[in-house]
Amino acid sequence: MAYFNIDGVEERTYDAIVIGSGISGGWAAKELTEKGLRTLVLDRGKDVKHVVDYPTTSLHPWQMDHRGTLPLEVKKENPIVSKCYAFKEDASHFFSKDDEHPYVQEKPFDWIKGYQVGGKSLLWARQVQRWSDFDFEGPARDGFAVDWPIRYKDLAPWYSYVEKFAGISGNKDGLAELPDGEFLPPYELTKVEKYFKEKVAEKYGDRHVIVARCAHLSEQKDIHKQQGRVQCQNRVLCQRGCPYGGYFSSNSSTLPWAEKTGNLTLKPDSVVESLIYDEEKEKVTGVRVIDAHTKEVTEYFSKIVFVNAAAANTNLILLNSKSKRFPNGLGNDNGLLGKYFAFHNYRARATAEYDGFTDFTTDGKRPTSGYIPRFRNIHKQETNFLRGYAAGVSTYRSEYTSEDGLGVALKEKLAKPKLGPWRIGSHMMGETIPKESNLISLNNSKKDEWGIPLLNFDVAYDDNDEKMIEDYFEQITEMFESAGFTNIRTSDSKQAPGLDIHEMGGVRMGKDPKTSLLNEWNQLHTSKNVFVTDGACMTSTGTQNPSLTYMALTARAVDYAVKELKNGNIS
């Protein structure tokens, strides 16, 4: 590869570099540029401009070549990403195909990638919950992983900060295990969900059915108007990109906001090969980038670097950042980089029916559902497994049509479906325990088209996960039965880890450099001008959808980094 050095070093030097433009990278860009830093944002994928680059956002099914489905040939060519529920004709262009960045599965792992500006913030489920101290204190209580270096009080003001800007719909439920936030008006539970909520409250003192909190503008505030975003239209076509900015994404919110400062330089199609460590200066001075198409190499320089490439790729970049000082990867003195990689257990599901409330149905759509916060092992260890799980709950009125008759009579019956019983669905969101045996590493013999080693995934479920699934089946069945639901069925998808798309860990936070990579400010213990605030930084996984926590950690870390920069502690 030839170095591409047309521009002088000065023209390739910035105050800050952010690797990745997804949920956390977008927030890093916003915060750094707002604080006056000339910031370079690098993304390995194509550029996606808000509204302009949402080609399917307003299409009807009959306006698509395959009416919204994908040809069988495409599915066969992409057996991994095809498992994702959103990989359909209307959004397939936002997913990375299986052959675009291959990896090695030592054990089955479905790595779902979205390589474009905005990353998976265009595709996420938009469910957001704060952590509580029950989550931050989990490792210290049961001895698995290491103790978090922060607690809820450290992150609470930053949760509030990002919630106000992003726009979060939710209800103030007053639950210690799921702290309230800065909420826009909540969406409504259905009639049967309200009924289920009452029945659960009657039978259990520690279990709650609430409306799930989501990053949708149920109401437009002035800060959202300033962003050019309007109230969510409840189209529930979010995976196409929302032209209204009704849900939060980097493309609709943080990146345009950063651009308005005049301090942002965005370079798509930029594959980061490694961070550059200067042996004489004893610090990281920049990043080495390969053009995704021409393969030409350019080095960019800065005082601070935020690595937000999404958990697996952040691990890859750091592992590949080798030097005399760090022969096994940047910051990897303790040999833990890439280890304690974790995810969420989404294998378990349950369905049921209810014959009541036949005089009620639903009208329209909503971008969320019901939610049961974690109730297991909160105040004390009470089960044969560690930690716990949350659960989603949704209900709808089924429909059926009569196929009796012929001609006009049959057509009229098919055009006028009748309402059937209510149907109830639930899925488990289980916390997995980070283990040293669950790891990702560089492959020594296989490289991608840019000459970068492929990632090995050696990640699996364990006995704790299996016991958790059994408990979910027992408890959700009991709760359904107590509400009078019938035809209850449970199922285990047996899906491989990864399809939850909540990869976490490998560059975990902690108090001790001997047992962690990052300190309480998401700062590498051994390279003070490098910060990691995406999923790779997570010490444990909790049960919550993690994106809101990434946002808060990022805003907090940028605030600290800029202060350290101004005070001369980072140079």
Side-chain angles (χ1 to χ4, degrees):
M1 294 181 294
Y3 281 87
F4 180 65
N5 279 324
I6 292 177
D7 295 331
V9 171
E10 186 174 337
E11 294 178 1
R12 290 181 280 118
T13 300
Y14 297 82
D15 298 320
I17 293 175
V18 179
I19 303 171
S21 61
I23 287 282
S24 60
W27 266 99
K30 171 191 174 293
E31 295 299 300
L32 289 163
T33 55
E34 269 193 311
K35 295 179 187 300
L37 275 66
R38 291 177 58 253
T39 303
L40 172 64
V41 175
L42 301 164
D43 197 288
R44 69 181 296 146
K46 62 182 178 293
D47 195 9
V48 174
K49 298 290 187 188
H50 181 48
V51 183
V52 176
D53 294 320
Y54 303 158
T56 63
T57 188
S58 298
L59 294 184
H60 295 288
W62 58 86
Q63 293 175 302
M64 301 182 204
D65 292 341
H66 305 95
R67 298 183 66 84
T69 63
L70 283 171
L72 182 60
E73 182 180 353
V74 173
K75 294 180 180 180
K76 287 182 177 179
E77 291 172 351
N78 296 278
I80 297 172
V81 69
S82 290
K83 297 175 186 177
C84 180
Y85 72 95
F87 185 67
K88 297 183 174 65
E89 189 174 25
D90 63 346
S92 62
H93 50 283
F94 288 147
F95 286 90
S96 298
K97 308 308 183 287
D98 289 0
D99 64 350
E100 290 177 356
H101 188 199
Y103 61 102
V104 179
Q105 300 182 61
E106 299 288 345
K107 296 171 184 172
F109 189 94
D110 294 327
W111 187 18
I112 308 298
K113 307 176 291 292
Y115 290 161
Q116 63 262 324
V117 169
K120 294 192 292 290
S121 77
L122 288 167
L123 296 165
W124 66 311
R126 308 163 307 284
Q127 300 297 294
V128 287
Q129 308 97 20
R130 292 188 179 199
W131 277 39
S132 74
D133 274 335
F134 295 114
D135 303 295
F136 285 112
E137 294 173 0
R141 290 168 59 191
D142 58 38
F144 281 79
V146 294
D147 189 14
W148 277 86
I150 60 173
R151 291 295 186 263
Y152 177 68
K153 64 180 176 59
D154 299 307
L155 209 54
W158 296 102
Y159 274 134
S160 293
Y161 178 76
V162 299
E163 285 167 344
K164 290 175 183 177
F165 188 85
I168 307 300
S169 166
N171 184 64
K172 289 190 179 293
D173 300 297
L175 304 176
E177 63 270 31
L178 200 74
D180 292 331
E182 308 292 337
F183 294 144
L184 301 174
Y187 287 91
E188 190 175 1
L189 293 172
T190 68
K191 183 68 175 178
V192 172
E193 288 161 4
K194 291 176 182 177
Y195 164 76
F196 184 50
K197 175 185 177 76
E198 293 172 359
K199 289 298 181 181
V200 169
E202 287 175 8
K203 184 175 177 63
Y204 308 95
D206 60 347
R207 304 185 189 186
H208 309 275
V209 179
I210 65 174
V211 66
R213 301 157 185 182
C214 60
H216 283 257
L217 301 185
S218 57
E219 178 181 280
Q220 183 198 48
K221 296 292 188 181
D222 183 63
I223 187 62
H224 309 126
K225 186 176 182 180
Q226 292 177 43
Q227 297 173 45
R229 299 168 59 203
V230 301
Q231 185 173 332
C232 174
Q233 305 298 297
N234 299 329
R235 303 188 315 154
V236 196
L237 299 173
C238 313
Q239 70 279 3
R240 301 180 179 187
C242 180
Y244 307 98
Y247 74 84
F248 173 83
S249 70
S250 296
N251 309 69
S252 67
S253 182
T254 46
L255 290 177
W257 194 269
E259 189 174 18
K260 286 193 297 184
T261 66
N263 293 321
L264 175 68
T265 299
L266 174 63
K267 289 187 179 294
D269 300 310
S270 299
V271 180
V272 174
E273 188 258 359
S274 60
L275 275 66
I276 302 166
Y277 185 82
D278 189 304
E279 304 283 353
E280 293 183 3
K281 296 180 179 179
E282 297 184 333
K283 69 174 185 177
V284 168
T285 55
V287 301
R288 188 170 292 110
V289 175
I290 304 171
D291 186 285
H293 304 295
T294 68
K295 308 301 190 292
E296 291 176 309
V297 178
T298 307
E299 293 182 347
Y300 296 98
F301 305 96
S302 66
K303 298 174 183 176
I304 55 176
V305 178
F306 271 72
V307 189
N308 298 86
N313 272 317
T314 287
N315 276 273
L316 187 159
I317 290 168
L318 294 178
L319 284 165
N320 201 45
S321 299
K322 298 180 179 180
S323 60
K324 290 182 180 179
R325 169 65 182 86
F326 296 108
N328 299 312
L330 184 64
N332 195 22
D333 286 349
N334 54 25
L336 296 180
L337 183 59
K339 296 180 180 179
Y340 297 96
F341 197 74
F343 53 96
H344 276 151
N345 183 351
Y346 271 40
R347 278 170 39 190
R349 293 172 174 80
T351 60
E353 293 181 354
Y354 186 59
D355 293 326
F357 300 119
T358 55
D359 50 341
F360 288 88
T361 186
T362 57
D363 184 36
K365 300 177 180 179
R366 60 179 182 177
T368 191
S369 65
Y371 182 82
I372 303 174
R374 173 187 168 188
F375 56 87
R376 284 307 212 188
N377 303 323
I378 293 179
H379 298 284
K380 62 180 181 179
Q381 183 64 37
E382 60 184 353
T383 68
N384 65 346
F385 60 88
L386 296 174
R387 315 287 171 86
Y389 53 85
V393 179
S394 59
T395 65
Y396 67 96
R397 192 76 188 273
S398 63
E399 294 182 346
Y400 69 95
T401 55
S402 172
E403 296 181 2
D404 295 334
L406 297 170
V408 174
L410 175 59
K411 290 180 180 179
E412 289 179 349
K413 290 177 181 178
L414 293 175
K416 297 178 181 179
K418 295 182 180 181
L419 292 173
W422 285 88
R423 299 195 188 281
I424 302 95
S426 176
H427 66 282
M428 184 188 84
M429 295 169 275
E431 177 170 3
T432 64
I433 305 301
K435 303 179 292 295
E436 188 172 8
S437 59
N438 274 356
L439 61 95
I440 54 177
S441 59
L442 299 183
N443 189 287
N444 293 323
S445 58
K446 297 180 180 179
K447 295 186 177 182
D448 62 24
E449 61 179 288
W450 302 279
I452 301 171
L454 299 188
L455 267 182
N456 293 325
F457 282 78
D458 191 356
V459 180
Y461 296 104
D462 63 13
D463 185 56
N464 198 71
D465 301 316
E466 303 299 334
K467 291 177 180 177
M468 191 179 293
I469 289 172
E470 291 178 9
D471 189 76
Y472 165 79
F473 286 155
E474 292 174 2
Q475 298 308 311
I476 198 69
T477 298
E478 181 180 284
M479 286 187 277
F480 279 3
E481 288 176 343
S482 69
F485 297 163
T486 59
N487 196 22
I488 301 168
R489 298 179 181 179
T490 59
S491 62
D492 182 349
S493 69
K494 299 292 185 179
Q495 65 192 44
L499 203 55
D500 52 284
I501 322 181
H502 289 170
E503 303 98 323
M504 289 176 262
V507 197
R508 69 183 181 185
M509 297 171 68
K511 299 175 182 178
D512 187 348
K514 293 180 181 179
T515 57
S516 61
L517 281 298
L518 305 169
N519 67 12
E520 70 269 32
W521 301 106
N522 296 81
Q523 182 181 34
L524 275 177
H525 288 301
T526 55
S527 190
K528 298 298 184 182
N529 64 335
V530 177
F531 295 81
V532 176
T533 61
D534 63 9
C537 78
M538 300 294 278
T539 305
S540 58
T541 73
T543 61
Q544 296 88 330
N545 297 66
S547 294
L548 182 69
T549 298
Y550 303 164
M551 297 185 215
L553 287 170
T554 302
R556 179 176 180 267
V558 170
D559 183 71
Y560 171 80
V562 174
K563 288 177 179 175
E564 289 291 281
L565 197 61
K566 290 180 178 178
N567 291 335
N569 296 325
I570 296 176
S571 58

